[in-house]
Amino acid sequence: MVATNAPSLTALRQASNARVDATLNALFDERAVVPRLDNAMRHGLLVGGKRLRPLLVYLAGQALGARDKDLDAPAAAIELIHAYSLIHDDLPAMDDDDLRRGQPTVHIAYDEATAILAGDALQTLAFDVLARTAHPRLGSLITTLATASGRGGMVAGQALDLAAIGGHPDVDALAHMHAHKTGALIVAAVRMGGLIAVDESDPRLNALTRYARAIGLAFQIHDDVLDVTGDTVTLGKTSGADAARAKPTYPSLLGLEGAQQKARTLIDEAIAALAPLGEQAAPLAELAHYMIERDH
């Protein structure tokens, strides 16, 4: 699955980042009602970040023939939800982290109340951005993002994660938690990109969903591995934090080598799922490999 004369993944990432950053920056062009709140939102949204989820929106949409300009809104919306989730994850009542992307977390840079409000504002802004687009499948796009973000998706995963601290879940329970906390938004990113191009009944959307579920879990497993093998400077956040909080991880259940092998197996499954899309899915396959080879 190698497309000839195609842009490299690096070039595609750069183009994706430039597009979504331009869209996100433009959201703050209007005069702020409360400048401190806007500054906190910008800190949590625009200071660093790999922009993986917007990239998945663009690559999935491109694989099915969508235009980049039509993918800008869902790409921005998914990153707004992701940024809000990280701000709230870092709060003292949650993971109590001081660093994110090599910078002080929002509640450290500002204060806890402002961080909560900044997260709330980013969440609602995501749906504002998406709702302002004119698209025949707008209802499906909004439902996809809402379902992945809320009580049946990411927030459910966060609750499961908190409940698991100090416990002894098995591998299946850990996978169930991560399918919600991390995987739900990754699946939403891929499906929203696909929905820009094709109807929900298109079988290629199912192929993309299988791909996204596999890479979502592989991504989380690799994050667990990096928490053991990485350092704070490289990761941009405190290394060893999961172990310090007695959070169950794949290395703690499978061992380091077992966790790494599990991630590789999932990547193979993800790439196999892309077969119905042909050469147009080559960047998605390359991204799958990158997700478990990255060191930051």
Side-chain angles (χ1 to χ4, degrees):
M1 189 184 295
V2 178
T4 57
N5 301 318
S8 68
L9 181 61
T10 298
L12 290 168
R13 288 181 63 201
Q14 290 172 344
S16 167
N17 288 359
R19 291 194 72 92
V20 75
D21 282 347
T23 303
L24 294 172
N25 273 290
L27 298 174
F28 296 91
D29 286 348
E30 294 183 9
R31 183 178 178 181
V33 175
V34 182
R36 180 178 174 82
L37 175 62
D38 266 37
N39 290 338
M41 293 168 66
R42 292 173 63 91
H43 183 90
L45 178 67
L46 302 175
V47 178
K50 295 182 286 292
R51 303 291 190 251
L52 170 65
R53 290 152 191 82
L55 177 59
L56 284 167
V57 173
Y58 285 113
L59 294 186
Q62 291 163 2
L64 298 184
R67 300 177 300 178
D68 284 351
K69 68 177 184 178
D70 295 329
L71 296 165
D72 290 337
I78 201 80
E79 188 65 12
L80 286 160
I81 291 291
H82 179 54
Y84 124 71
S85 75
L86 296 182
I87 291 173
H88 282 194
D89 258 356
D90 291 336
L91 289 167
M94 300 280 279
D95 285 348
D96 195 16
D97 278 321
D98 294 343
L99 283 177
R100 172 69 67 178
R101 298 166 175 169
Q103 302 291 331
T105 49
V106 176
H107 70 274
I108 295 295
Y110 292 86
D111 58 72
E112 189 173 345
T114 299
I116 293 170
L117 294 173
D120 292 344
L122 290 170
Q123 180 189 36
T124 55
L125 185 57
F127 291 98
D128 185 17
V129 168
L130 202 54
R132 289 175 186 269
T133 64
H135 192 277
R137 288 178 291 280
L138 179 58
S140 294
L141 290 165
I142 291 175
T143 298
T144 297
L145 185 60
T147 302
S149 303
R151 61 186 287 268
M154 181 186 69
V155 174
Q158 291 171 318
L160 289 168
D161 190 27
L162 290 172
I165 294 175
H168 300 88
D170 59 19
V171 172
D172 289 342
L174 195 59
H176 178 69
M177 183 265 286
H178 286 310
H180 290 80
K181 184 178 180 184
T182 304
L185 277 192
I186 287 177
V187 172
V190 171
R191 285 191 65 86
M192 286 199 297
L195 281 167
I196 291 295
V198 301
D199 190 74
E200 283 184 292
S201 62
D202 193 302
R204 292 172 295 177
L205 267 184
N206 291 330
L208 285 172
T209 299
R210 292 194 299 273
Y211 163 84
R213 286 173 179 161
I215 63 166
L217 185 53
F219 179 82
Q220 182 59 55
I221 292 172
H222 192 58
D223 259 13
D224 285 357
V225 169
L226 289 179
D227 192 64
V228 175
T229 63
D231 59 79
T232 298
V233 173
T234 302
L235 296 176
K237 57 184 180 181
T238 305
S239 63
D242 289 341
R245 285 191 287 270
K247 294 180 70 173
T249 65
Y250 279 90
S252 69
L253 293 178
L254 301 177
L256 190 58
E257 290 186 8
Q260 291 169 326
Q261 180 56 49
K262 176 67 174 176
R264 289 191 291 267
T265 298
L266 286 164
I267 292 305
D268 290 341
E269 293 175 6
I271 292 171
L274 294 173
L277 281 70
E279 289 189 353
Q280 296 303 312
L284 287 168
E286 188 177 353
L287 178 61
H289 283 296
Y290 163 78
M291 290 175 71
I292 65 166
E293 293 167 357
R294 75 196 196 285
D295 58 0
H296 56 82

